[in-house]
Amino acid sequence: MGLRFLNRASDLAWVDTVWTCTAGRVTEMTSVATPCWGLVFWEQDGATHAAVTGPETRTGTAPVPAGAVFTGIEFAVGTSLRALPATALVDSGAVLPGATSRRFRLAGTHWETPGADDAEALVARLVADGVVVRDPLVAELRHGRPGTVSPRTAERRFRAATGLTQGAVRQIERARSAALLLGAGATTAEAVDRLDYFDEPHLARALQRYVGRTARQLRDGAGGAIALDTSRPVAATH
């Protein structure tokens, strides 16, 4: 058995995805670019660990702790940790020391270590205490409503809230959607047409940069373990 990812969407506007993963007989996986930051908790050999993960602007290779069981929270684009600038987390992250199966420490306070079913309850507490914040302008921009600010101000605030430009977020999300389409059996031409790529070479370059797979590998399920739940429905791009 390799990696078994299970993702679910959340009804909480602050959360993009809650996911779980069980590691089998793999030692590394292909990481996939993501515009989201997150919290991840894992158990291995009776010990619990926790970390903050940042947005990732490119694909890469990540180690997989043998036999680990993971629970992760991917926060919606535009949310951030008040105590840590979003730009500091891009292509990075931080282990949270002293985590146990009962609690972990974040922003100077102990919180209950969540499971997949109570992830939203943790996020609600983090929001209520002001640990997790968001810029409402980002949500407006994501829905195509630029508001009353100038384009320059909108881009500056978007990057301050997410660590990324609007263009980078769109490119990452589009490549992830293409990977899911191809993993579900779509042809390359169908992915190009549905996601409005200029042509197949442009799609191929995006997949290589952000997903680390070719279209054929995604259709065939080849290339080894990958941090992508191909059973997840394809989300609309923004």
Side-chain angles (χ1 to χ4, degrees):
M1 183 183 73
L3 293 180
R4 186 172 68 246
F5 276 93
L6 293 174
N7 288 7
R8 67 169 176 81
S10 175
D11 293 331
L12 195 64
W14 298 76
V15 177
D16 179 79
T17 305
V18 177
W19 58 272
T20 59
C21 175
T22 301
R25 293 186 297 273
V26 296
T27 58
E28 64 180 25
M29 68 177 178
T30 299
S31 63
V32 177
T34 175
C36 301
W37 71 279
L39 290 172
V40 60
F41 307 89
W42 68 99
E43 295 183 2
Q44 182 191 24
D45 298 330
T48 300
H49 311 270
V52 179
T53 60
E56 296 182 38
T57 61
R58 57 187 179 271
T59 186
T61 301
V64 178
V69 178
F70 298 84
T71 297
I73 304 169
E74 293 285 299
F75 286 79
V77 173
T79 65
S80 59
L81 283 168
R82 181 184 293 276
L84 188 62
T87 52
L89 280 175
V90 175
D91 293 322
S92 185
V95 173
L96 302 176
T100 71
S101 61
R102 297 179 60 87
R103 63 181 187 173
F104 70 101
R105 189 173 180 84
L106 178 66
T109 302
H110 282 102
W111 310 87
E112 291 183 18
T113 300
D117 293 336
D118 49 9
E120 282 85 358
L122 168 64
V123 174
R125 291 192 293 271
L126 293 172
V127 171
D129 279 27
V131 175
V132 173
V133 296
R134 65 178 172 182
D135 186 338
L137 176 62
V138 173
E140 294 296 305
L141 294 169
R142 299 271 288 166
H143 287 90
R145 298 190 291 268
T148 59
V149 302
S150 69
R152 183 175 180 179
T153 297
E155 188 63 42
R156 176 180 57 78
R157 284 179 56 177
F158 191 97
R159 185 161 188 172
T162 67
L164 305 172
T165 66
Q166 295 182 71
V169 169
R170 286 192 294 267
Q171 291 178 48
I172 291 168
E173 290 181 329
R174 186 164 63 155
R176 290 176 66 96
S177 293
L180 294 179
L181 276 175
L182 293 162
T187 67
T188 304
E190 288 170 339
V192 167
D193 181 65
R194 179 166 173 180
L195 296 170
D196 200 27
Y197 278 98
F198 182 74
D199 56 20
E200 292 188 14
H202 279 77
L203 170 60
R205 286 193 290 271
L207 291 174
Q208 194 63 43
R209 177 175 181 178
Y210 299 118
V211 184
R213 291 287 187 276
T214 66
R216 181 180 293 276
Q217 285 175 321
L218 288 163
R219 281 196 300 270
D220 295 345
I226 186 169
L228 190 70
D229 179 10
T230 55
S231 68
R232 187 181 183 187
V234 179
T237 55
H238 298 275

